[in-house]
Amino acid sequence: NEMSVSSTLGVCVYPQADQPSLCVQDACVKEDGSVALEISASLNDPDGYERLVVRITGIDPAWGVDTSLSGGNYNAATGTWTLILPLGVTSWSGGPTLYPPHNSDVDMTGLVVTAAAFEYGTSASVSDTIDVIVDAVADFPNIALHDAAGEGGQQIALCIEPSVTDTDGSESIVKVFIGGLPEGFSLSAGTQLPSGIWVLTPAQLNGLTLNTPEGFNGEFDLQARAVSRETDLSDIEKDSSDNSANTVSF
């Protein structure tokens, strides 16, 4: 009273991409320097059918991006760097090299780094953020000195003109040192240090004169050194030891 028939039923289980792993590090770069980002990404399904893609978004278009070591492509219009790895490559470490704008110490925060795995039309991703801190560095200033002449016992006008080379407004001349004064000579402004060198503020250079002793005649050289300092810091400062710079010491 029973009959039976047999057949086969095909079952297809489509592969699904697994979420990859991602590790990133915040970076610090000196003003006018460069820094290579440190990113590590890896697939968690090493069967060879997944493709790993690493992407960074949010790069300020004013920054320079060098991909010669990291590989990948950078789109300055969108601020996006993308690296597509070949099939079979299950892990990658590196990152593009970034250059802040010239003379700028403005940080670039909130870069979004995404590692994605793709397999048969499916994808899975993980993201994290990187902050790039730009540490301000003072630039060597300029100082212009003009020869002076006069009679002994009189005040001789001195023209000493320091100036910053970083002209974005972040640096200022904070002091000037003057040395080489013979015995009996003094300046009309400033403070004489125990070493005999005089230290002046920029304002004290206005109308500065050299007081000469009566009866002196001859020639000698004065030396001057200007000090510039980062006085308008934009963001986080990691190292303040290089926030001042001098002209050549005497």
Side-chain angles (χ1 to χ4, degrees):
N1 292 340
E2 293 182 1
M3 297 292 293
S4 65
V5 63
S6 297
S7 186
T8 58
L9 173 67
V11 178
C12 180
V13 179
Y14 291 103
Q16 295 285 323
D18 294 286
Q19 187 181 74
S21 297
L22 175 66
C23 180
V24 301
Q25 296 287 335
D26 288 339
C28 182
V29 56
K30 292 291 186 180
E31 180 180 331
D32 296 330
S34 63
V35 63
L37 297 184
E38 297 183 16
I39 302 168
S40 296
S42 60
L43 297 172
N44 289 317
D45 182 0
D47 61 3
Y49 293 104
E50 290 188 351
R51 184 185 298 275
L52 180 63
V53 175
V54 183
R55 179 174 288 113
I56 303 173
T57 58
I59 300 174
D60 189 326
W63 284 55
V65 179
D66 182 1
T67 62
S68 58
L69 295 179
S70 64
N73 295 307
Y74 175 61
N75 186 331
T78 61
T80 303
W81 170 84
T82 305
L83 176 67
I84 302 175
L85 294 160
L87 283 173
V89 176
T90 60
S91 63
W92 176 85
S93 295
T97 299
L98 303 182
Y99 300 82
H102 183 58
N103 284 338
S104 173
D105 71 326
V106 178
D107 302 338
M108 182 166 58
T109 59
L111 294 180
V112 178
V113 183
T114 301
F118 295 86
E119 183 176 11
Y120 290 104
T122 68
S123 64
S125 64
V126 59
S127 297
D128 205 343
T129 59
I130 289 178
D131 292 337
V132 183
I133 306 303
V134 183
D135 192 70
V137 177
D139 294 271
F140 290 107
N142 293 322
I143 189 165
L145 307 177
H146 303 273
D147 291 341
E151 297 181 358
Q154 303 296 316
Q155 290 185 320
I156 299 176
L158 299 179
C159 184
I160 299 174
E161 299 175 314
S163 60
V164 296
T165 54
D166 182 345
T167 57
D168 65 356
S170 63
E171 296 183 18
S172 302
I173 300 296
V174 293
K175 64 181 70 174
V176 173
F177 294 93
I178 300 175
L181 278 71
E183 186 176 351
F185 286 73
S186 64
L187 298 178
S188 60
T191 302
Q192 187 177 28
L193 303 177
S195 62
I197 294 173
W198 289 71
V199 57
L200 301 90
T201 66
Q204 290 174 321
L205 295 175
N206 296 323
L208 180 67
T209 61
L210 176 68
N211 301 319
T212 65
E214 191 73 37
F216 179 87
N217 66 85
E219 296 183 358
F220 56 90
D221 292 327
L222 296 179
Q223 299 86 36
R225 174 165 57 94
V227 180
S228 64
R229 180 174 297 159
E230 292 280 357
T231 53
D232 187 13
L233 299 174
S234 299
D235 295 294
I236 299 171
E237 192 66 10
K238 293 285 189 180
D239 178 13
S240 60
S241 65
D242 49 11
N243 284 3
S244 295
N246 306 323
T247 54
V248 177
S249 302
F250 45 73

